[in-house]
Amino acid sequence: MSDDAGPEFAAWVKDALERFEGPLTTYVRHLVGDAERARDLVQEAFLRLCRQDRAAIEPALAPWLYTVCRNLSMDERRKGRHMPRTNVEVLEERPTRAGTVEDAAEGRDLAARALVEVARLPEGLQEVLRLKFAHGLSYVEIAQVTGLSPGHVGVKIHQGMTALRKRMGVLAPVALSVSATVPAVTEGGVS
Amino acid sequence: MIRIDDPRLSAYALGELPAGATAEVERLLEGDPEAVAVVEDVRAMAGTLAAAFSTEPAVALTESQRAAVVEEAAQPSEARAPMLAIVGTRRREARPWYAWTLAAAAAAAGILVIGGPLQRRVSREETARAQREAEHNARVAEVVGFASADYDVEIAQASDIARLLGTDGSKAQVHEFRSFKLPQGASGPGRIVLESSAPVIAGLRSAPLLNPSSGTFFNNGRDGDLRGRAENVFVGHLGSLDDVTNGLRDRLSVSLASGPVTAGAPVVVRIPRAHTADNDRMSAEAYVAAAESPYLRPTDAPLSTFSIDVDTASYANVRRMITAGIRPPPDAVRLEELVNYFPYAYPAPTGTDPFAVHLETANCPWNLEHRLVRVALKGREIARKERPASNLVFLVDVSGSMDAPAKLPLVKASLRMLVDELNERDTVTIVVYAGASGVALQTTTCEKKDVIREAIDRLTPGGSTNGAAGIELAYQLAAERFVAGGVNRVILATDGDFNVGVTSRDDLLKLIEEKAKSKIFLTTLGYGMGNLKDATLEMLADKGNGTYGYVDTTREAHKLLVEEAGGTLVTIAKDVKVQVEFNPKTVGAYRLVGYDNRLLAAKDFADDTKDAGEIGAGHTVTAFYEVVPAGKPLPKPEVDPLRYQPVVPPAGPAGATSDELLTVKLRWKAPEGDVSTLRELPYTDTGASYEKASTDFRFAASVASFAMVLRGSPHRGTGTYEAVLELATSALGDDPGGWRKEFVEIVGRAKTQFGEPAPLAAKAPPAPPAPPSPPASPPTAPADGPVAPPR
């Protein structure tokens, strides 16, 4: 039986809090639409973490936490108690990772634009894109959290990226008309 | 060659492919510049997204929440409540991947897992304890508190768990749980739920239980209604914490009498989390989403049909939120209810029809190329003396959640005001619902207003909410006292939180639909924040042939129940529908402004079985259409242009020579009638400018504009809070009651608190408006195609 008592465990939980509190609450907030509810659910997830066997969870702590949060959020939503997603109140802010944001106005505009376009995507795509790019989970981890197969995750991410590229015009205007790009005879075959 | 829609491209770009697949893709990318470009774009986009997401403000836990977690972590392991698996067995989705890992780990560490075989800790003390328990309590149910967000739940303390061993399968057995210690300060109307994989009869007890031989089960008088469920889990509602804590302070005792139960089958009790004393939590409010009507072309859709609506709750609700500094969710802003809140001086009907129709047009102030058409109805006034005899049943929610100053006390004040307005021929009955429902006042005529007032004063909050039983009883009593040709009405006062009994919204609506056939009308009055179930209350009034008002102050109560008593009480026409036919010769496109959740299919107009809204004595109804005159450029299409049909309407169908703008048709039924009457009114645009429009027109337009700005509607045109202020202040008119002046204040507050929304123009999106709302809300960016980012 692993040692799940005492100050080491508490330190481990505290560390997990530090690292994941912000991202998890952001993630849950996008699922349930309400910052206050999101905090409650994330706190619940951490309370459950306290009752886990550390050795079992530690190797895959992030997916575990995200999965618990997701399940709690889905329960919440199924009861119809979540607020419409448009009414998200940000009541407490933490400093963002400013270093990764370009300071140029151009960078800011692009970022804002990207968020707007992401918000227009279907919810399932949004969630997967966020888990990948906001929370840094791998395809396999995302599959674990959402219950999809990793292949399906890949399809969704590609769909999302395709839609975003089209809408944001990032794609260089390569003509997509079939006649121009596909050779009349396909020697290698199209995979 | 590789197809550009092949998901491996993204996976490769993001380094997610295993080695073998990576090599394969690289091979396919050779000589395929298009695909290579895609890969590069995906990488660039990945960077953009990562950067973009990092600009979103993070939300953190509160200090006390963090502290609670750290404290729990610091507990010695035995003292921590045992962990139970996440809701895995009831879930319809795939089990979380780790569940099996967890079960395996649990087997090692001895943590309890629901759905899997029960494990016990293998420590020596535990073994000894288990043996003692087993000896001591041969058959006791295993109760595990179950943390689930379904019902704000507290986990029962480890020390209070006991275990049920199997029975012999034939006789009902009686078992008593050891009682749980309740979480500190636990109370509230939320129900306690019991789940079991076998049929059980259960109840909450504050004392040891019952008589096994008689088979009866005493459960402190509250409902224990059990229903089977598809997955063979039985669910029972055991009343509320309020019910329990009335008797016992801090212990919850659950008694079970069960039929055959398999060994180890878990029985789960879910206890609602303690409600804080301040029940006003925004998170419990619920609004229904409605998409706004798009522009339609008369050649595609010449008919616009909708049900009238005289509800005013949305304005009162929005006003309350803005005053409290809260930004109303878009779906709480029902444009027609804001416009209809205000009294307008439309001329009363002169003939036998119950209402008069008035049409007016002018330039659209938020889109000067467009015309604004206003359809107005004015219902016949009824002087108090002439009001027919009223048979009123007050149905009052006195559950625990109503115990707040803005709720039950305000209800009582409202009802007293209404009673003052009644005549001697009127009768009042008072029904309450909470836990049990009952008659608080037998039908009493208004010759004895003192008796009525006293009964109102005696209403006290407590218990959980059993809306359905209350509704049944109220309608039954109203039917018993039905006054032919008079006013027969149930007035429901609640915060909308129907907790126990028929709780699903659909069941509740079916119930009320049935009741509506009885020719008894319904007024729903919503009180309080937090638990206000706006959607439910509106639907109830809708389905129940009635109106919905929101009461947040005595002033509002006075408006609804005194100033507009005639309208609130006396219905002069029901199932009132409007259908407008637009002339394609003069109208390029039109849009119904508001009434989003009141739309009807064109064929429903003449279908008398289809329900619609009521109009009360003296009520006014105002509806706007924004019209693009023929020949003007059509608004940007919301949908991609059709490929096979022309976008631009033809010059005009042969035969349409009229210069009329539209024809308005109305249908209504008498309050006790079943067959509708039809009126038609063709109308030609006068071409009047906005300045020449009547004061009422201009004020109503300003309110409509405000609603669109507040919702962030993409149809708001050049509307801003500032523009609304200008329009409204120049159209105050007489302003009886001072409501318009109050509106101007509210707009001012909205402007200061929320800031102007981003302008709707085809440029790169602006920075998000202050206060910070995450840019991931429905965009106000134009619906046209993507704008190339600045390079």
Side-chain angles (χ1 to χ4, degrees):
Chain A
M1 192 175 29
S2 58
D3 173 66
D4 54 356
E8 272 183 39
F9 184 78
W12 175 63
V13 169
K14 200 147 178 259
D15 178 65
L17 255 184
E18 271 292 296
R19 288 162 59 199
F20 292 107
E21 172 194 328
L24 284 175
T25 321
T26 305
Y27 173 58
V28 172
R29 187 187 62 187
H30 279 288
L31 292 178
V32 301
D34 171 6
E36 200 184 330
R37 203 72 205 113
R39 291 204 282 239
D40 286 347
L41 295 179
V42 170
Q43 183 194 25
E44 177 60 39
F46 278 106
L47 286 174
R48 295 184 184 197
L49 179 65
C50 291
R51 298 162 196 150
Q52 295 307 310
D53 175 13
R54 175 176 173 179
I57 300 295
E58 195 165 5
L61 176 60
W64 189 91
L65 282 170
Y66 279 94
T67 308
V68 173
C69 285
R70 185 175 198 271
N71 289 346
L72 289 171
S73 306
M74 291 306 164
D75 278 352
E76 186 80 4
R77 284 161 60 130
R78 235 182 293 126
K79 290 306 286 180
R81 288 178 52 209
H82 71 291
M83 291 196 75
R85 294 174 55 156
T86 50
N87 184 41
V88 179
E89 303 269 358
V90 177
L91 298 174
E92 187 181 317
E93 294 190 20
R94 287 188 123 190
T96 59
R97 302 195 299 271
T100 55
V101 178
E102 300 156 34
D103 268 7
E106 180 180 305
R108 262 204 296 278
D109 270 351
L110 195 58
R113 186 83 202 292
L115 290 173
V116 164
E117 293 299 341
V118 165
R120 291 173 62 189
L121 295 172
E123 220 184 290
L125 291 191
Q126 284 194 47
E127 187 189 358
V128 165
L129 288 174
R130 280 180 183 280
L131 287 172
K132 180 90 200 89
F133 298 109
H135 302 284
L137 296 186
S138 69
Y139 277 30
V140 169
E141 287 171 335
I142 296 174
Q144 290 158 359
V145 171
T146 58
L148 303 165
S149 72
H152 197 175
V153 171
V155 167
K156 287 196 156 188
I157 289 191
H158 192 64
Q159 281 176 346
M161 295 305 253
T162 305
L164 287 175
R165 277 164 40 232
K166 265 203 217 135
R167 292 183 190 180
M168 294 194 46
V170 172
L171 180 62
V174 174
L176 296 181
S177 60
V178 173
S179 51
T181 54
V182 174
V185 179
T186 57
E187 298 111 55
V190 178
S191 19
Chain B
M1 287 288 301
I2 180 169
R3 288 171 59 112
I4 57 161
D5 62 359
D6 189 322
R8 287 180 295 172
L9 286 176
S10 282
Y12 170 75
L14 303 172
E16 285 278 353
L17 287 179
T22 304
E24 167 79 4
V25 169
E26 276 172 354
R27 192 179 61 77
L28 291 166
L29 282 175
E30 278 169 33
D32 187 352
E34 198 189 334
V36 169
V38 167
V39 168
E40 281 165 9
D41 283 340
V42 168
R43 285 190 181 132
M45 180 53 109
T48 305
L49 283 180
F53 286 133
S54 72
T55 65
E56 287 186 320
V59 179
L61 294 179
T62 64
E63 275 311 321
S64 61
Q65 283 174 321
R66 260 180 242 129
V69 171
V70 172
E71 200 187 298
E72 176 73 13
Q75 298 285 327
S77 48
E78 296 81 28
R80 276 182 254 134
M83 183 46 206
L84 308 145
I86 318 305
V87 189
T89 47
R90 288 181 53 217
R91 206 175 273 295
R92 286 184 290 267
E93 312 146 19
R95 286 176 76 96
W97 67 275
Y98 70 89
W100 300 114
T101 317
L102 187 57
I111 300 172
L112 294 165
V113 174
I114 285 292
L118 291 158
Q119 307 284 347
R120 295 298 241 147
R121 267 180 192 237
V122 193
S123 73
R124 212 176 311 146
E125 313 91 74
E126 192 59 34
T127 317
R129 206 202 305 172
Q131 271 177 336
R132 280 199 301 275
E133 279 175 352
E135 286 156 16
H136 212 281
N137 309 289
R139 295 186 225 95
V140 204
E142 168 179 272
V143 177
V144 284
F146 206 91
S148 159
D150 273 3
Y151 311 90
D152 307 333
V153 163
E154 286 286 343
I155 294 180
Q157 298 301 308
S159 54
D160 295 325
I161 291 182
R163 193 177 180 82
L164 171 76
L165 302 178
T167 68
D168 66 1
S170 57
K171 295 194 294 200
Q173 304 290 332
V174 170
H175 320 282
E176 175 159 23
F177 289 109
R178 273 200 251 141
S179 52
F180 313 145
K181 197 156 166 26
L182 283 171
Q184 179 116 22
S187 69
R191 64 199 156 160
I192 300 171
V193 178
L194 180 141
E195 284 192 0
S196 161
S197 61
V200 295
I201 308 168
L204 300 175
R205 299 288 292 132
S206 55
L209 69 139
L210 68 139
N211 183 348
S213 59
S214 74
T216 57
F217 197 82
F218 180 62
N219 69 347
N220 82 351
R222 305 300 179 199
D223 17 293
D225 113 85
L226 298 177
R227 306 172 216 184
R229 285 176 44 159
E231 306 98 76
N232 242 1
V233 176
F234 293 84
V235 180
H237 303 146
L238 298 184
S240 72
L241 278 177
D242 278 349
D243 299 341
V244 167
T245 55
N246 276 337
L248 18 105
R249 288 295 140 227
D250 62 351
R251 302 200 81 81
L252 174 66
S253 186
V254 181
S255 310
L256 277 195
S258 69
V261 167
T262 25
V267 174
V268 167
V269 172
R270 302 185 182 201
I271 304 167
R273 189 203 352 232
H275 284 235
T276 52
D278 174 26
N279 242 337
D280 296 336
R281 297 186 52 175
M282 292 294 297
S283 54
E285 301 201 25
Y287 301 102
V288 171
E292 295 189 19
S293 296
Y295 281 95
L296 294 168
R297 296 181 205 99
T299 43
D300 302 332
L303 297 172
S304 169
T305 317
F306 62 96
S307 155
I308 61 142
D309 175 12
V310 297
D311 296 346
T312 54
S314 177
Y315 177 74
N317 204 5
V318 162
R319 175 182 62 194
R320 181 258 304 176
M321 284 193 256
I322 294 178
T323 310
I326 300 168
R327 182 182 220 128
D331 305 324
V333 182
R334 292 188 288 272
L335 188 147
E336 65 277 6
E337 293 188 24
L338 269 68
V339 171
N340 283 329
Y341 181 87
F342 299 91
Y344 299 104
Y346 302 144
T350 47
T352 50
D353 285 354
F355 45 79
V357 185
H358 305 288
L359 292 162
E360 191 177 340
T361 46
N363 292 101
C364 178
W366 57 81
N367 214 324
L368 291 169
E369 296 287 301
H370 298 172
R371 303 286 293 164
L372 198 58
V373 179
R374 184 215 63 197
V375 179
L377 307 188
K378 168 72 181 179
R380 185 164 38 94
E381 300 269 15
I382 288 194
R384 177 173 164 175
K385 301 185 291 295
E386 289 159 16
R387 215 189 291 146
S390 304
N391 157 32
L392 300 178
V393 178
F394 297 164
L395 174 56
V396 185
D397 179 352
V398 295
S399 66
S401 70
M402 292 293 286
D403 188 9
K407 297 198 194 180
L408 193 56
L410 187 53
V411 171
K412 287 154 77 159
S414 312
L415 296 177
R416 276 196 291 267
M417 271 188 231
L418 178 56
V419 168
D420 287 343
E421 286 299 302
L422 298 176
N423 302 325
E424 278 130 15
R425 293 165 305 142
D426 303 327
T427 60
V428 172
T429 316
I430 304 182
V431 172
V432 296
Y433 66 97
S437 55
V439 182
L441 175 72
Q442 293 291 346
T443 308
T444 308
T445 80
C446 286
E447 287 165 356
K448 305 200 190 129
K449 284 195 185 177
D450 287 336
V451 174
I452 301 176
R453 287 194 198 104
E454 214 181 305
I456 294 174
D457 287 339
R458 276 200 307 263
L459 298 172
T460 41
S464 59
T465 325
N466 188 349
I471 290 172
E472 295 267 12
L473 185 54
Y475 272 91
Q476 183 197 322
L477 293 172
E480 281 169 17
R481 296 288 175 173
F482 194 87
V483 177
V487 173
N488 297 283
R489 189 172 280 271
V490 170
I491 299 182
L492 166 62
T494 176
D495 60 3
D497 202 11
F498 298 94
N499 257 340
V500 179
V502 173
T503 58
S504 94
R505 208 156 145 256
D506 290 336
D507 286 344
L508 198 54
L509 292 176
K510 274 205 215 93
L511 172 65
I512 210 78
E513 263 174 337
E514 199 204 296
K515 295 301 170 194
K517 297 186 193 139
S518 62
K519 311 238 191 318
I520 295 167
F521 291 92
L522 174 71
T523 297
T524 51
L525 299 175
Y527 289 79
M529 316 167 246
N531 261 339
L532 176 63
K533 301 290 191 222
D534 187 62
T536 310
L537 294 180
E538 203 208 352
M539 278 290 248
L540 274 183
D542 208 24
K543 299 278 177 222
N545 274 349
T547 52
Y548 167 39
Y550 176 70
V551 182
D552 55 341
T553 56
T554 39
R555 191 157 171 254
E556 185 63 25
H558 193 265
K559 177 179 189 277
L560 276 175
L561 300 170
V562 176
E563 292 165 37
E564 295 171 4
T568 305
L569 292 179
V570 185
T571 301
I572 54 173
K574 70 177 186 201
D575 290 341
V576 182
K577 304 172 187 164
V578 178
Q579 185 169 73
V580 180
E581 182 181 348
F582 290 90
N583 182 357
K585 182 168 177 219
T586 49
V587 175
Y590 66 87
R591 194 182 90 79
L592 175 58
V593 181
Y595 293 89
D596 302 323
N597 56 354
R598 301 285 171 169
L599 298 174
L600 297 171
K603 59 179 166 62
D604 290 344
F605 180 66
D607 183 350
D608 280 351
T609 62
K610 293 286 190 254
D611 202 32
E614 279 68 50
I615 183 165
H619 272 159
T620 58
V621 180
T622 306
F624 282 109
Y625 280 95
E626 189 173 341
V627 168
V628 182
K632 295 273 183 163
L634 295 170
K636 306 179 192 59
E638 251 99 29
V639 170
D640 288 336
L642 294 173
R643 203 174 147 96
Y644 302 108
Q645 295 179 43
V647 168
V648 178
T657 51
S658 159
D659 281 327
E660 288 165 5
L661 191 67
L662 49 85
T663 296
V664 177
K665 295 186 283 188
L666 288 139
R667 278 193 181 272
W668 72 86
K669 296 177 194 156
E672 286 168 38
D674 289 310
V675 178
S676 64
T677 309
L678 171 67
R679 288 284 175 266
E680 282 192 35
L681 192 66
Y683 181 75
T684 307
D685 194 342
T686 55
S689 68
Y690 189 78
E691 295 73 41
K692 296 277 171 45
S694 66
T695 312
D696 280 344
F697 181 104
R698 287 183 286 117
F699 185 77
S702 74
V703 179
S705 184
F706 174 64
M708 289 194 281
V709 173
L710 193 56
R711 286 179 63 117
S713 163
H715 299 293
R716 64 181 186 273
T718 56
T720 56
Y721 293 119
E722 186 59 46
V724 169
L725 283 172
E726 260 187 59
L727 295 178
T729 42
S730 66
L732 289 177
D734 288 333
D735 196 14
W739 303 107
R740 299 191 183 190
K741 193 148 157 294
E742 184 189 59
F743 172 72
V744 168
E745 277 168 32
I746 296 294
V747 178
R749 257 191 236 247
K751 178 173 159 215
T752 326
Q753 284 165 181
F754 311 140
E756 296 285 6
L760 288 173
K763 20 185 195 280
S773 61
S777 47
T780 53
D784 55 355
V787 173
R791 287 273 175 215

